[in-house]
Amino acid sequence: DVKVTQSSRYLVKRTGEKVFLECVQDMDHENMFWYRQDPGLGLRLIYFSYDVKMKEKGDIPEGYSVSREKKERFSLILESASTNQTSMYLCASRLRGAGELFFGEGSRLTVL
Amino acid sequence: RKEVEQDPGPFNVPEGATVAFNCTYSNSASQSFFWYRQDCRKEPKLLMSVYSSGNEDGRFTAQLNRASQYISLLIRDSKLSDSATYLCVVKENTGNQFYFGTGTSLTVIP
């Protein structure tokens, strides 16, 4: 069965802290994505990676960076968390050139 | 203009009712179309892909109208368990970008 695992379901951080969100998939998918989901705005793409060590900015990359050192793992980094980064973060993966996205359970981040 | 637009609802319907959602997309070059279901505080999960000829999966029917650039989802004989938010998702012909609607909220009432 397809599995995308996000390391933390709920996090509370303080303004200025560095935050790591980890995502692991066990499907050997080339493509991985980080989205944030906010009420009324839907899912917005932060970054995606089309293969190991490859990354591209999405629609809202400001304030975020990513790392893809291994095929199965895609990390989202908030270098200095701010209150406007309070959101639900969703990781997804997809087989290159085919079909749908598979999502992790999400990480709900609150920045105080 | 948003890439994908949906009526946010909410739709409140009695059990057994038929309900339909529409979604419009702006890029005529879009290639792939999906309906996802998202339960409260959970991740989106694929409900069904949408094919050019239309497709059906049990009580769910999805249709695509390329000329008018909209897709639809019809749910027949609604169940309480159908209560969720339904997301319209569109992928363009090139690149890896998926575009999401903001979702349509459905509540099925006993």
Side-chain angles (χ1 to χ4, degrees):
Chain A
D1 200 16
V2 166
K3 190 72 175 175
V4 180
T5 303
Q6 294 185 228
S7 55
S8 305
R9 293 292 307 278
Y10 300 95
L11 304 94
V12 179
K13 298 292 182 181
R14 297 207 174 272
T15 300
E17 281 193 78
K18 191 168 186 175
V19 181
F20 293 88
L21 299 179
E22 303 284 342
C23 175
V24 177
Q25 49 94 4
D26 65 358
M27 297 163 285
D28 204 35
H29 285 172
E30 290 85 4
N31 299 160
M32 295 188 75
F33 304 77
W34 275 106
Y35 293 92
R36 64 177 282 177
Q37 185 175 29
D38 301 288
L41 296 177
L43 275 81
R44 293 179 292 166
L45 181 64
I46 304 171
Y47 267 97
F48 73 91
S49 169
Y50 46 93
D51 213 330
V52 178
K53 296 191 187 293
M54 303 296 189
K55 60 186 179 186
E56 282 195 23
K57 293 179 180 180
D59 298 318
I60 51 164
E62 296 79 18
Y64 303 95
S65 61
V66 290
S67 172
R68 183 108 182 259
E69 294 298 314
K70 293 185 178 182
K71 191 174 187 179
E72 67 271 19
R73 187 179 298 268
F74 191 35
S75 302
L76 180 70
I77 303 145
L78 289 66
E79 293 290 342
S80 177
S82 62
T83 54
N84 63 11
Q85 292 178 309
T86 292
S87 187
M88 167 72 105
Y89 290 87
L90 288 159
C91 175
S93 74
R94 172 178 176 257
L95 193 62
R96 179 167 51 205
E100 80 264 29
L101 295 168
F102 294 90
F103 285 91
E105 290 183 312
S107 298
R108 190 168 292 277
L109 171 67
T110 300
V111 182
L112 301 175
Chain B
R1 184 183 173 185
K2 289 184 180 178
E3 297 284 343
V4 178
E5 298 209 50
Q6 292 181 250
D7 180 349
F11 285 70
N12 299 314
V13 302
E15 269 186 293
T18 296
V19 62
F21 307 137
N22 287 329
C23 163
T24 57
Y25 60 94
S26 60
N27 189 340
S28 59
S30 297
Q31 176 190 47
S32 305
F33 308 89
F34 308 90
W35 283 102
Y36 276 73
R37 172 196 168 123
Q38 186 172 23
D39 293 297
C40 188
R41 304 183 82 83
K42 299 276 192 176
E43 77 274 23
K45 292 185 179 179
L46 181 69
L47 178 67
M48 57 198 304
S49 301
V50 186
Y51 303 119
S52 295
S53 55
N55 47 301
E56 188 174 305
D57 182 3
R59 298 182 293 108
F60 299 85
T61 301
Q63 294 198 313
L64 168 64
N65 184 320
R66 285 192 184 272
S68 301
Q69 295 181 208
Y70 78 81
I71 67 175
S72 64
L73 176 68
L74 183 76
I75 306 175
R76 290 181 300 278
D77 188 23
S78 298
K79 311 290 185 193
L80 296 177
S81 58
D82 293 333
S83 298
T85 297
Y86 291 82
L87 302 175
C88 173
V89 184
V90 173
K91 184 186 176 300
E92 294 183 346
N93 195 33
T94 57
N96 289 292
Q97 271 274 35
F98 287 75
Y99 294 95
F100 291 78
T102 53
T104 299
S105 173
L106 171 66
T107 301
V108 180
I109 304 162

